[in-house]
Structures are given as structure tokens and as C-alpha cells.
């Protein structure tokens, strides 16, 4: 029986990051809503309570019956989780005079407690809370304090541990050690979850799930659908038929390049150029959500037309991954943005849904791809939106605008691939944790800017025109905005601090070579409050 850690999601921005950290410990985990604890599941070896945007005193605050698991398996509360445990069991949580946010250092650590084994003195942690614990329940003791937070960590010494900081973020420098202490030493994980075990288990499950049926998979050219295709091909071979629809808004020359890649992988792929239909239906449309819905609808229509030709198909496979589902509908029930591959299938498709990657994070998908021997340039591709460049063009969509953006984006992405940087310390750790293949030498790694960042792309501000001068002539053309972010899971992201000389070179090349552009800007907003894509 496969062991698992259950992470109860109280709505924190970093809940998914907790999951990633546990998975990095070769331990399977499931993130479930705070009120959906799986009762009677004997595979559960521990429970983690996440943070939350709420105060424990808010009338709408999420609550859970601790009796479902306390006393049965070890429990770790993080931030709101720690405050909720204290508040529920008789401690005291009060509004802090000032929001406790940012780096802090543990001035007192009980290193005898199993949660803090291996910790350094003055270990740096990351705080992010408005309330603070002012008294802990009877039978508990303080096991960690900072200069401003007496009850930074506490435990009953038996089966409950709680911390008011966030061990899952990189700024908590020994956060992984803390989670290892909890998951491996306290909960007793066998650490038998890995890319290899996932491939073996999933291939077996797919064969049982699908039987002798035929499967259709909609390819996008991205990492997720490509890994899903190779995984299915490994499971059912030529009973998989892939359909790759070109909506006309892919990157420059991408359709043919991707088709060539799939041929090398031995996949059975049908390529469909439907760009005229998409451009026609998008004519005059400027609203971002309407663009997404039109592209999603047209994709289904085009896909259906091809799928009907495969009369014995019973399944539709998609490369849906976990962040797709979380971002389409978060725990509060509010849609952040719709994803083309989330939300079920139209009834007329008459197919069952198969999503072999639906519990994986992006870095895990890449590890699975490497495990199956996929080419590195496919595995390290940046995420790319399903609607393509349509959501990177502000305003209506035309073939000429797409051409402008394709040319600018091509210069930008090629530049990122060619520019090499050396990284050390926290930044090197983050890049290596994301699965970038690099070797540490003398405390440094060398990677391309493309590998250093999570996602990059150019955006055409076609609703804006700016004055410029070229060859003594006045121009009145569109600006291009460049976007690049660093992230580990796409749930949060920071703008990438690209070198000035790189930005200067790329800006100059775009303005000189791309007709229709006379200005280049760089986007320095993070997520939240901004999203990675502009639309």
C-alpha cells in the first residue's frame, strides 16, 4: 500500500508548494480541501494543515474537526494551521500590532525536539501572518521562538507540531529539513515515491483503466501534453492517436518544429491547420475571457471533426496538471482564469476523460519526461498558454499582429537561450530544485537565462501606439512588453531580474528587425497581484 501525507488546504497561496516539498522527499501526498479529509484511509501516515487568507476569528474562516486525525497520525500545522490548532485546543490567538511578514531568525530552538533535528543556530525562517499566538494550549511547550514571536513553534511532544512560519518557501533556509524531519522521521515515510515509480504505477493503471480501447489526445506542443502522450504511448502503443491543432497563434515556426519532434518520439500524430477558422471567429474580439472561450469552443469543434474519423475511440486524454485545476477554481470558489483543458468534456464528444498527470506539478512532469528518455529541449520548454499568442496580444487578433508578435517573441526567446549566467546560493538551489540539468562546481552552476526563469514571452500592446523616430522619420507604432518570471509552481511568481546588457541587446534587435514595433518595455510585476500572462 502506497503511503501518503494529506495536506488540508485552507486556501493559502503556498499550499501547493507544501505539496511539492513533500513530493521532493520521495513521499506521495494529496492536497484536499480543509473539509474533505479522507476518513478510513489507512494509507495516510500524517496530516499537514496549510496557511489561509483568513483569521481564525473571521466568521467565514475555514474550520476542520481535529478529532478526525489528531491522536491517530502525526499532525503539523503551518501558519493558520498552527493558529487554528492553538485556538481550537484552548490556546489564544490575537491580532498582532503589526503584520509579521518577511525574514526572521529562530533565536531559540529546541534541538532535542524531532522537528528541529539538524537545525543551525539562528536559522532563517519566513513569516507571513497578521494574527499571532499569545498562549498555547495546556500540555504543549514552546520549541522555537524569534525576536518578535515567542510561539514561533510549539508541540505537545507526542503527535502535534505547529509552526507560525512557512517552511515550504525557499526563504526558510532549513524548511526542507523541517519537513523531512516531520515526513520521514516523525511520520515514518518509506520514501518510495519517485518519477520511476510514478511511470511504472501509472502505466499499469492506464492499461487497466483503458483496456483495449482507443484513446485520442489533444496535443498542444507543450511539456504537459507531450509527456502525457509519451506516457500513454508507453502504456497502449498504437491505440493512441494524437491530434495537434494549429490555431494560428503558436510561436514562430512552432507547428512544423513540434510535428518533427513528435515524429522522432514515434507518436501517431494528426496535424490540423485550422488558423483561418480561428482568425475569422476572433475577428473584432477584445475581451480576454471571450478570446479564451472562443478558442476553447473552436478547438473542440476542430478536434471533434478529426475525432469523429476515429470511430472506435472511447477516451479523450489531456495533459492537465494540478496547478491548472487549482487556478481555474480555487478553494473559495472564485475563478481566477479559465483553462482550456479544465472543466470536463462537452456531452457531444461522448468520450471518457483520461488525465494521467492531473496530480503532478510542472517540475514533476519534467522529471517523468526525463525518466522516459524524452529529449531535453522538449522537457525544458517554458509553459505556453493554450490560447497561444491570442492572450499576449492586447486588443483584437489579426494575422498581421500575430506575425509581429511571433517575430519579436522569437528574437526574445532565442536571446534567452543564448545568454549564459552563473548562479550560486539560494538562486542556484531554486533552479536545481526546478529540475534544470546543471552541475554544481565550486558552489556555482552555469545555465542559460532561459533555464534560469520559469516562463517568458513577448506581449504586443496593440491597443497602444507610441511615437518614435527611425531614420529621421517619425513613426507611430506599437510597443512590445517583455515578460519573464521566476517560480517553482506557477502559483506565485516574481519578475526575473534580467541583465541590463541582455535587455538592451534584445530591445535594439526587436526595434530594428520587427516592422510595426518602435518601443520595448520590461514587465516588473509579480504574481500576486498580477498574473503571469497579461490576459
Amino acid at each position: 500500500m502506497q503511503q501518503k501525507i494529506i495536506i488540508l488546504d485552507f486556501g493559502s497561496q503556498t499550499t501547493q508548494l507544501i505539496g511539492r516539498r513533500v513530493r521532493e522527499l520521495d513521499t506521495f501526498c494529496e492536497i484536499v480541501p480543509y473539509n474533505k479529509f479522507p476518513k478510513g484511509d489507512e494509507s495516510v501516515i500524517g496530516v499537514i494543515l496549510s496557511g489561509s487568507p483568513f483569521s481564525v476569528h473571521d466568521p467565514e474562516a475555514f474550520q476542520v474537526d481535529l478529532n478526525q486525525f489528531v491522536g491517530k497520525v502525526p499532525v503539523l500545522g503551518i501558519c493558520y494551521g498552527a493558529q487554528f490548532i492553538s485556538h481550537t485546543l484552548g490556546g489564544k490567538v490575537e491580532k498582532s500590532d503589526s503584520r509579521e511578514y518577511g525574514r526572521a531568525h529562530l533565536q531559540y530552538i529546541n534541538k532535542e525536539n524531532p522537528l528541529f533535528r539538524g537545525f543551525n543556530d539562528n536559522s532563517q525562517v519566513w513569516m507571513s501572518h497578521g494574527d499571532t499566538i499569545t498562549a498555547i494550549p495546556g500540555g504543549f511547550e514552546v520549541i522555537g521562538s524569534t525576536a518578535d514571536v515567542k510561539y514561533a513553534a510549539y508541540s505537545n511532544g507526542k503527535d502535534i507540531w505547529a509552526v507560525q512560519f512557512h517552511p515550504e518557501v525557499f526563504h526558510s533556509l532549513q524548511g526542507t529539513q523541517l519537513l523531512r524531519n516531520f515526513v520521514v522521521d516523525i511520520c515514518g515515510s518509506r520514501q518510495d515515491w519517485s518519477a520511476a515509480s510514478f511511470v511504472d504505477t501509472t502505466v499499469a493503471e492506464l492499461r487497466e483503466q483503458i483496456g483495449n480501447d482507443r484513446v485520442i489526445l489533444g496535443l498542444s506542443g507543450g511539456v504537459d501534453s507531450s509527456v502525457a502522450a509519451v506516457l500513454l504511448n508507453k502504456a497502449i502503443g498504437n491505440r493512441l492517436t494524437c491530434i495537434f491543432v494549429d490555431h494560428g497563434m503558436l510561436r514562430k515556426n512552432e507547428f512544423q518544429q513540434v510535428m518533427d519532434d513528435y515524429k522522432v518520439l514515434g507518436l501517431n500524430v494528426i496535424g490540423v491547420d485550422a488558423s483561418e477558422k480561428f482568425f475569422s471567429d476572433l475577428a473584432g474580439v477584445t475581451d480576454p475571457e471571450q478570446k479564451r472561450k472562443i478558442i476553447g469552443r473552436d478547438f473542440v469543434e476542430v478536434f471533434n471533426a478529426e475525432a469523429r474519423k476515429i470511430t472506435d475511440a472511447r477516451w479523450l486524454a489531456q495533459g492537465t496538471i494540478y496547478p491548472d485545476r487549482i487556478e481555474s477554481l480555487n478553494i473559495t470558489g472564485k475563478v481566477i482564469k479559465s483553462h482550456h483543458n479544465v472543466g470536463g468534456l462537452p456531452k457531444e464528444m461522448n468520450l471518457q476523460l483520461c488525465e494521467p498527470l492531473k496530480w503532478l506539478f510542472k517540475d514533476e512532469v519534467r522529471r517523468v519526461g526525463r525518466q522516459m528518455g524524452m529529449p531535453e529541449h522538449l522537457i525544458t520548454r517554458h509553459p505556453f498558454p493554450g490560447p497561444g499568442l491570442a492572450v499576449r496580444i492586447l486588443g483584437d487578433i489579426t494575422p498581421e499582429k500575430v506575425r509581429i508578435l511571433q517575430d519579436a517573441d522569437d528574437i526574445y526567446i532565442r536571446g534567452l537561450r543564448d545568454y549564459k549566467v552563473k548562479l550560486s546560493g539560494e538562486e542556484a538551489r531554486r533552479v536545481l530544485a526546478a529540475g534544470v540539468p546543471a552541475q554544481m562546481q565550486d558552489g556555482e552552476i552555469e545555465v542559460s537565462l532561459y533555464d534560469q526563469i520559469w516562463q517568458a514571452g513577448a506581449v504586443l500592446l496593440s491597443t497602444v501606439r507610441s511615437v518614435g523616430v527611425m531614420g529621421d522619420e517619425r513613426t507611430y507604432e506599437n510597443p512590445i512588453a517583455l515578460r519573464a518570471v521566476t517560480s517553482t509552481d506557477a502559483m506565485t511568481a516574481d519578475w526575473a531580474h534580467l541583465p541590463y546588457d541582455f535587455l538592451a541587446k534584445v530591445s535594439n534587435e526587436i526595434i530594428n528587425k520587427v516592422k510595426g514595433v518602435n518601443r520595448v518595455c520590461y514587465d516588473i510585476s509579480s504574481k500576486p497581484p498580477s498574473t503571469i500572462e497579461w490576459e
Side-chain angles (χ1 to χ4, degrees):
M1 180 170 57
Q2 180 175 260
Q3 299 174 320
K4 73 174 77 162
I5 298 288
I6 291 295
I7 300 169
L8 293 181
D9 183 12
F10 288 85
S12 170
Q13 285 277 352
T14 60
T15 300
Q16 289 73 41
L17 195 50
I18 301 171
R20 286 191 65 257
R21 294 287 173 262
V22 173
R23 297 274 184 89
E24 287 170 6
L25 297 171
D26 298 328
T27 303
F28 183 69
C29 66
E30 286 187 18
I31 299 172
V32 300
Y34 67 96
N35 57 354
K36 299 291 184 183
F37 180 76
K39 298 177 183 178
D41 188 342
E42 295 182 358
S43 67
V44 177
I45 60 171
V47 176
I48 298 176
L49 280 62
S50 83
S52 174
F54 294 114
S55 161
V56 294
H57 299 295
D58 290 343
E60 66 271 36
F62 298 140
Q63 299 184 37
V64 64
D65 180 5
L66 295 176
N67 291 322
Q68 295 178 92
F69 41 82
V70 167
K72 299 172 185 175
V73 293
V75 177
L76 173 65
I78 294 176
C79 196
Y80 175 90
Q83 294 169 0
F84 179 80
I85 291 171
S86 178
H87 177 71
T88 303
L89 298 184
K92 196 170 184 179
V93 178
E94 295 182 289
K95 183 69 68 177
S96 176
D97 292 336
S98 61
R99 180 174 171 83
E100 294 164 342
Y101 180 84
R103 291 176 175 84
H105 293 85
L106 293 173
Q107 295 186 345
Y108 164 69
I109 307 171
N110 181 351
K111 296 182 184 179
E112 299 300 314
N113 191 283
L115 193 68
F116 284 122
R117 284 198 188 114
F119 261 59
N120 301 326
D121 293 333
N122 211 37
S123 185
Q124 177 181 295
V125 296
W126 185 263
M127 294 286 188
S128 180
H129 54 94
D131 291 350
T132 192
I133 297 170
T134 55
I136 55 177
F140 285 76
E141 65 172 346
V142 180
I143 58 173
S145 303
T146 70
D148 298 317
V149 182
K150 178 179 179 180
Y151 302 108
Y154 67 94
S155 171
N156 66 357
K158 183 174 56 177
D159 59 359
I160 298 177
W161 290 262
V163 296
Q164 285 199 90
F165 54 87
H166 287 269
E168 70 273 21
V169 303
F170 276 98
H171 301 299
S172 291
L173 297 185
Q174 291 187 279
T176 298
Q177 180 67 39
L178 185 148
L179 290 172
R180 177 185 295 277
N181 289 343
F182 178 73
V183 171
V184 180
D185 297 340
I186 295 173
C187 296
S189 169
R190 293 190 298 262
Q191 295 186 278
D192 54 6
W193 164 262
S194 65
S197 69
F198 175 83
V199 171
D200 292 342
T201 301
T202 305
V203 166
E205 289 174 350
L206 287 170
R207 286 170 178 163
E208 182 176 353
Q209 177 187 22
I210 294 165
N212 294 318
D213 294 343
R214 182 169 292 278
V215 179
I216 302 171
L217 185 146
L219 286 170
S220 68
V223 179
D224 305 331
S225 65
S226 299
V227 171
V230 174
L231 193 59
L232 276 159
N233 189 55
K234 188 178 181 69
I236 63 172
N238 61 11
R239 284 183 286 116
L240 170 68
T241 300
C242 302
I243 299 174
F244 182 27
V245 177
D246 181 6
H247 49 39
M249 287 154 283
L250 299 172
R251 282 180 158 142
K252 187 173 183 178
N253 302 322
E254 187 173 34
F255 182 69
Q256 190 55 54
Q257 289 170 0
V258 169
M259 288 295 290
D260 292 342
D261 282 334
Y262 288 150
K263 186 175 181 181
V264 171
L265 290 171
L267 298 177
N268 176 26
V269 183
I270 298 171
V272 184
D273 182 357
S275 53
E276 287 189 15
K277 173 178 175 57
F278 282 87
F279 280 123
S280 175
D281 291 349
L282 286 167
V285 177
T286 59
D287 180 74
E289 273 297 291
Q290 194 176 355
K291 288 181 191 177
R292 288 177 177 271
K293 291 183 185 302
I294 289 171
I295 291 171
R297 181 201 68 200
D298 283 4
F299 177 86
V300 169
E301 290 179 7
V302 174
F303 188 89
N304 262 339
E306 290 299 321
R308 288 191 195 101
K309 300 173 185 177
I310 308 169
T311 56
D312 58 343
R314 297 290 178 268
W315 297 83
L316 174 71
Q318 293 184 157
T320 312
I321 64 173
Y322 193 62
D324 294 339
R325 299 189 292 137
I326 291 298
E327 195 163 61
S328 286
L329 184 65
N330 69 12
I331 196 170
T332 63
K334 297 177 181 178
V335 173
I336 298 173
K337 65 181 179 182
S338 60
H339 284 262
H340 68 290
N341 59 343
V342 176
L345 298 174
K347 292 180 180 178
E348 65 269 18
M349 293 194 78
N350 197 30
L351 296 171
Q352 299 179 75
L353 187 60
C354 175
E355 298 174 305
L357 307 178
K358 66 181 180 180
W359 292 109
L360 296 188
F361 298 101
K362 180 72 73 173
D363 58 314
E364 293 179 310
V365 174
R366 290 188 169 116
R367 290 191 190 104
V368 168
R370 289 191 181 96
Q371 178 66 33
M372 296 188 296
M374 292 177 62
E376 196 64 31
H377 72 274
L378 269 181
I379 294 169
T380 57
R381 284 190 61 177
H382 286 176
F384 188 66
L389 299 180
V391 292
R392 293 182 179 175
I393 296 174
L394 274 60
D396 64 326
I397 309 299
T398 67
E400 174 60 13
K401 290 180 180 179
V402 171
R403 190 276 307 167
I404 292 171
L405 185 54
Q406 283 178 332
D407 288 346
D409 182 80
D410 184 59
I411 292 170
Y412 182 35
I413 297 300
R414 282 191 290 105
L416 289 170
R417 289 187 182 278
D418 292 342
Y419 196 102
K420 304 297 182 184
V421 292
K422 290 186 176 181
L423 306 175
S424 61
E426 192 171 307
E427 184 69 3
R429 288 196 305 116
R430 181 190 62 77
V431 171
L432 291 172
V436 173
Q439 295 294 323
M440 184 79 74
Q441 291 185 345
D442 299 324
E444 290 184 329
I445 59 172
E446 183 176 79
V447 295
S448 69
L449 280 178
Y450 185 88
D451 286 335
Q452 181 190 1
I453 62 182
W454 172 269
Q455 186 172 343
V459 180
L460 176 62
L461 281 62
S462 71
T463 56
V464 177
R465 302 183 80 184
S466 69
V467 174
V469 178
M470 292 185 182
D472 296 328
E473 292 186 4
R474 179 182 183 274
T475 62
Y476 194 48
E477 297 176 329
N478 297 122
I480 285 284
L482 304 181
R483 180 75 159 139
V485 298
T486 58
S487 181
T488 53
D489 57 4
M491 302 308 297
T492 60
D494 192 14
W495 62 277
H497 295 214
L498 298 181
Y500 288 162
D501 62 328
F502 168 78
L503 289 172
K505 182 177 184 298
V506 166
S507 171
N508 187 60
E509 189 173 354
I510 289 173
I511 292 171
N512 285 338
K513 293 184 178 180
V514 182
K515 185 178 180 182
V517 175
N518 67 354
R519 189 178 299 270
V520 173
C521 310
Y522 186 57
D523 182 348
I524 59 169
S525 44
S526 298
K527 175 187 178 181
S530 302
T531 55
I532 295 176
E533 298 294 342
W534 277 46
E535 291 193 343

